[in-house]
Amino acid sequence: KMSPSTIIAILLVLLTCLWSLISASSKSKHKKLPPGPRSLPIIGNLHMLGNLPHRSLQHLAKKYGHIMSIRLGSVPTIVVSSPKAAELFLKTHDTNFASRPKIQASEYISYGTKGMAFSEYGPYWRHVRKLCTLQLFCPAKIEAFAPLRKDELGVLLRKLKNAAEEGGVVDVSEDIGLMNEDITYRMVLGCKRDDQFDLKAIVEETFSLAGAFNISDFVPSLAALDIQGLTKRMKKVSKTIDKLLEKIIDDHEQVAKTTSGKQGKHEDFVDVLLSLMNQPLNSNGEQVHFLDRTNVKAILLDMLTAAFDTSASSIVWSLSELLRHPRVMKKLQKELQTVVGMDRMVEETDLPKLEYLSMVVKESLRLHPVAPLLVPHESIEDITIDGYDIPKKSRIIVNFWSIGRDPNVWSENVEEFYPERFMNSNIDLRGHDFQLIPFGSGRRGCPGLQLGLTTVRLVLAQLVHCFNWELPAGILPQDLDMSEKFGLSMSKAQHLLAKPTYRLL
Ligand code: HEM
């Protein structure tokens, strides 16, 4: 299996000649693109991205500015790296940038963009988004899943309590990941990891393919060669996942037919979407859309991919920062002791009262956003912004990771984990404050924000309320490895290992 850098080197040699022919015949029609680095034939600036693109792009933006132009293969790309520029693209001109690029992953593993997350901007996406916001992400629905979260969190806490009694070190990343998977599978599909044959393996493969760096997306002339073997894998997993989703939908339809089967049964996303199938999605004069079985499968798959690792990674990043900063850990435990007490567990209803917890989570998402470059947008029409011409069908990358660590935005100690910076501040996470947009902003902002935040806050609160945590012998707080692994969601490169001690009465 060739590494991306080897592939890029081979491409360079083979295709330079071809490029001179193409570039001679296609001079840019756009007069004033934003500044950016010189690009190479065929691959453009792909070679500059490295393994951690958010860091490389931050470095480049320091030289070329907060609205920068690069080329990823043949794809014109604009990189946005300041709150002011993010506001221009995600608020002022949001309608022009609310589309998504068509990539192989969306074609093969999102049913040809028939879901929500990968769909181009237009009436279909608008209606599906509205429907999901109303039916799946409304406060009542989030609350309805509270017992499910409590249940799965209970499983994790019991496991940790046993480990604490034995005095052992636990793989916190692994345990939180498994808990989040079971919450997600139960909420979206109504089943657990082990209920359906290979569910975990299939979702993992889909997730890793959706986040893979695919040369075919950037140099379409090479797509037929499938150099990385990704297309083959996508085709294979798309068939397997389709079979699985068909079975899950059949099972739900079967249960729905028997009234007794429905009694007491919790409504998951499959139930909700099936109840909406074949109903017109709108009646406001636009083309009428119906949700069919393929749409249902595509939306379910989007939800699984979006929820698979985001909350879990955010919890692990937060707990890691707490382990590196015992002062903050103690202060948070003190807040929990005062607000909740030591004779009962934290409940979701406690969360609004836990102000320091909220600051800790904000600070962790500032430094460790699980989507450091958000999700790529695509421009719909040619437009001029801040004096620059942005061509239509440009890819828009918002480097929130860079915004979160910009000393001009966050004043001093920008790299330091210091939740108190949010004390007496109105900055929230909902996408109105462009210096803090780990969930994105505007039309394409994350619809699962409330759901994700509830899970992150609740699990983190429970973990530090129920347990004291120590790093394995020999690792000092300041030595804890915090390196990043870039992917569909950015997790810690090394699993977090720590030793819990039970502390509730
Ligand atoms: C989109 C972050 C949890 C569903 C996004 C985007 C970000 C994000 C940055 C892209 C915004 C943009 O394009 O500008 C997060 C974070 C989470 C989280 C940090 C948790 C800590 C969830 C959960 C779900 C979800 C739990 C659903 C169960 C989605 C969907 C989209 C999305 C469907 C695509 C929206 C669209 O294209 O219209 N999320 N997310 N997210 N998220 Fe989340």
Side-chain angles (χ1 to χ4, degrees):
K1 200 175 147 188
M2 283 189 282
S3 70
S5 47
T6 321
I7 295 164
I8 287 169
I10 295 171
L11 283 178
L12 253 178
V13 177
L14 287 179
L15 303 171
T16 307
C17 308
L18 200 77
W19 172 253
S20 16
L21 287 173
I22 297 168
S23 59
S25 64
S26 68
K27 283 220 165 95
S28 172
K29 284 179 234 125
H30 298 280
K31 290 196 183 69
K32 197 182 170 202
L33 283 174
R38 282 175 71 88
S39 57
L40 290 177
I42 311 298
I43 60 165
N45 303 98
L46 279 176
H47 61 297
M48 295 176 142
L49 294 185
N51 290 334
L52 298 172
H54 51 292
R55 287 181 183 262
S56 317
L57 292 173
Q58 179 199 42
H59 189 67
L60 287 171
K62 279 187 183 150
K63 185 163 177 203
Y64 296 100
H66 66 155
I67 302 180
M68 174 173 74
S69 167
I70 58 172
R71 222 167 27 75
L72 299 180
S74 60
V75 182
T77 303
I78 307 298
V79 183
V80 170
S81 313
S82 74
K84 186 171 160 272
E87 185 166 355
L88 282 173
F89 282 78
L90 300 180
K91 185 178 172 189
T92 320
H93 301 287
D94 187 20
T95 20
N96 195 49
F97 297 108
S99 207
R100 297 270 193 229
K102 268 206 166 141
I103 54 170
Q104 273 202 349
S106 55
E107 280 301 308
Y108 290 115
I109 53 182
S110 186
Y111 293 87
T113 70
K114 286 195 162 61
M116 187 216 292
F118 293 109
S119 292
E120 62 183 356
Y121 183 69
Y124 170 75
W125 170 82
R126 270 202 302 276
H127 300 314
V128 169
R129 169 97 188 190
K130 196 166 150 195
L131 179 140
C132 291
T133 308
L134 289 175
Q135 305 283 347
L136 304 178
F137 299 117
C138 61
K141 196 74 198 158
I142 296 175
E143 213 181 303
F145 287 119
L148 189 159
R149 284 187 288 273
K150 189 172 177 174
D151 196 23
E152 292 300 333
L153 186 49
V155 174
L156 171 68
L157 295 176
R158 280 194 294 281
K159 191 172 171 189
L160 292 174
K161 203 171 167 198
N162 286 342
E165 275 159 19
E166 285 164 19
V169 167
V170 291
D171 185 336
V172 190
S173 302
E174 167 92 2
D175 287 344
I176 293 177
L178 293 177
M179 176 208 60
N180 186 59
E181 277 179 48
D182 272 338
I183 293 181
T184 305
Y185 298 149
R186 284 181 68 188
M187 179 180 71
V188 179
L189 304 176
C191 59
K192 295 215 347 162
R193 239 175 312 141
D194 305 329
D195 291 352
Q196 299 284 339
F197 181 64
D198 263 357
L199 176 58
K200 183 175 163 57
I202 295 167
V203 178
E204 258 171 17
E205 171 76 341
T206 311
F207 186 77
S208 97
L209 286 169
F213 175 85
N214 187 351
I215 300 254
S216 308
D217 289 334
F218 303 105
V219 191
S221 50
L222 291 175
L225 299 179
D226 188 19
I227 302 172
Q228 297 154 285
L230 293 174
T231 317
K232 196 168 156 216
R233 276 170 63 196
M234 284 189 227
K235 284 184 181 166
K236 191 168 166 222
V237 81
S238 71
K239 284 192 190 129
T240 324
I241 197 120
D242 188 61
K243 258 195 215 149
L244 182 88
L245 288 174
E246 280 291 339
K247 179 173 179 324
I248 290 172
I249 293 175
D250 282 348
D251 289 352
H252 278 72
E253 285 176 335
Q254 216 43 47
V255 173
K257 274 186 201 151
T258 53
T259 25
S260 59
K262 269 202 125 181
Q263 265 165 22
K265 189 183 173 295
H266 178 72
E267 268 217 327
D268 52 52
F269 283 18
V270 183
D271 293 316
V272 177
L273 291 171
L274 287 182
S275 73
L276 296 163
M277 232 165 84
N278 299 325
Q279 287 182 24
L281 289 180
N282 64 322
S283 55
N284 59 358
E286 282 180 321
Q287 187 195 351
V288 174
H289 292 274
F290 292 89
L291 208 60
D292 63 18
R293 202 171 167 102
T294 310
N295 296 132
V296 170
K297 289 187 286 186
I299 295 169
L300 291 171
L301 198 47
D302 278 358
M303 296 302 163
L304 285 180
T305 342
F308 181 68
D309 201 34
T310 38
S311 308
S313 285
S314 302
I315 298 163
V316 173
W317 280 119
S318 306
L319 190 61
S320 304
E321 284 293 8
L322 292 174
L323 275 156
R324 270 158 50 93
H325 296 88
R327 175 195 71 83
V328 182
M329 174 76 97
K330 279 204 190 85
K331 194 167 164 183
L332 180 56
Q333 286 183 323
K334 184 129 192 275
E335 176 179 75
L336 289 160
Q337 197 167 334
T338 313
V339 176
V340 181
M342 296 304 282
D343 49 0
R344 69 166 176 94
M345 305 276 235
V346 182
E347 298 286 341
E348 290 194 10
T349 45
D350 296 316
L351 296 179
K353 290 172 263 166
L354 297 166
E355 286 173 17
Y356 195 61
L357 172 72
S358 155
M359 289 188 238
V360 166
V361 171
K362 279 183 195 168
E363 181 67 340
S364 180
L365 288 169
R366 175 184 77 82
L367 286 171
H368 309 290
V370 289
L373 303 175
L374 306 186
V375 175
H377 290 221
E378 190 178 82
S379 60
I380 297 168
E381 297 292 346
D382 290 344
I383 191 169
T384 303
I385 290 194
D386 220 20
Y388 299 121
D389 296 329
I390 315 286
K392 71 174 173 189
K393 289 216 163 279
S394 294
R395 193 156 301 191
I396 312 299
I397 292 180
V398 177
N399 192 349
F400 168 63
W401 184 89
S402 174
I403 296 174
R405 291 175 184 241
D406 186 342
N408 299 319
V409 176
W410 295 98
S411 65
E412 81 268 43
N413 303 335
V414 73
E415 298 285 334
E416 198 189 316
F417 183 76
Y418 184 62
E420 284 75 6
R421 73 179 78 242
F422 292 105
M423 189 111 75
N424 303 323
S425 132
N426 292 328
I427 298 177
D428 76 19
L429 289 161
R430 297 181 180 279
H432 314 299
D433 301 303
F434 287 85
Q435 64 271 55
L436 193 65
I437 48 167
F439 293 92
S441 174
R443 285 172 170 72
R444 285 284 182 171
C446 178
L449 179 148
Q450 197 51 44
L451 184 62
L453 262 187
T454 304
T455 310
V456 173
R457 287 185 184 145
L458 178 72
V459 177
L460 189 65
Q462 293 260 17
L463 290 178
V464 303
H465 185 230
C466 293
F467 300 96
N468 285 319
W469 292 91
E470 267 173 71
L471 287 169
I475 302 182
L476 296 171
Q478 62 271 28
D479 295 338
L480 179 61
D481 188 315
M482 295 293 274
S483 32
E484 303 159 330
K485 187 170 150 214
F486 192 83
L488 192 59
S489 94
M490 188 168 73
S491 51
K492 251 177 112 271
Q494 305 293 329
H495 276 206
L496 174 66
L497 307 180
K499 186 168 162 291
T501 320
Y502 195 67
R503 65 189 283 271
L504 279 196
L505 296 175

